[in-house]
Amino acid sequence: MPTYHAKVFVTLKPSILDPQGRTVERALSHLDHTNVSGVRVGKLIELTVTGERPEVEAQLAAITRDVLSNPVMEDARWELAEPDPVGA
């Protein structure tokens, strides 16, 4: 069975305040990076998943929605890298 490398990106929805992003933005400003604004902080989760692509995609969508993110407060998207032909 093929093995895939998945990346899940989770960020706060634009309507949700991001105190961590604001803290980073202030720190950058204090370090004279005054041209930086709109900093948002999120999460990157990496997974290795084995199986046929349609099943892996469905599983990854469910994991992203049900476990790795809070759909009320966060936006999430995922990417699935093609399997390595040498390891297939």
Side-chain angles (χ1 to χ4, degrees):
M1 285 194 156
T3 299
Y4 296 90
H5 181 76
K7 293 181 180 180
V8 180
F9 302 89
V10 181
T11 56
L12 289 172
K13 290 188 178 210
S15 61
I16 303 293
L17 294 177
D18 184 355
Q20 189 175 9
R22 183 67 185 122
T23 299
V24 170
E25 188 174 318
R26 277 195 308 265
L28 290 171
S29 178
H30 290 306
L31 294 170
D32 292 326
H33 298 287
T34 55
N35 62 329
V36 177
S37 64
V39 177
R40 307 283 290 176
V41 175
K43 299 180 277 189
L44 165 65
I45 301 109
E46 297 183 82
L47 305 97
T48 300
V49 188
T50 303
E52 297 303 322
R53 188 173 186 103
E55 289 81 17
V56 167
E57 287 178 346
Q59 182 181 21
L60 188 55
I63 290 169
T64 299
R65 180 188 63 243
D66 299 337
V67 179
L68 300 178
S69 68
N70 176 352
V72 173
M73 296 177 50
E74 297 171 318
D75 289 325
R77 67 179 177 81
W78 51 267
E79 296 176 356
L80 193 60
E82 292 296 324
D84 180 1
V86 175

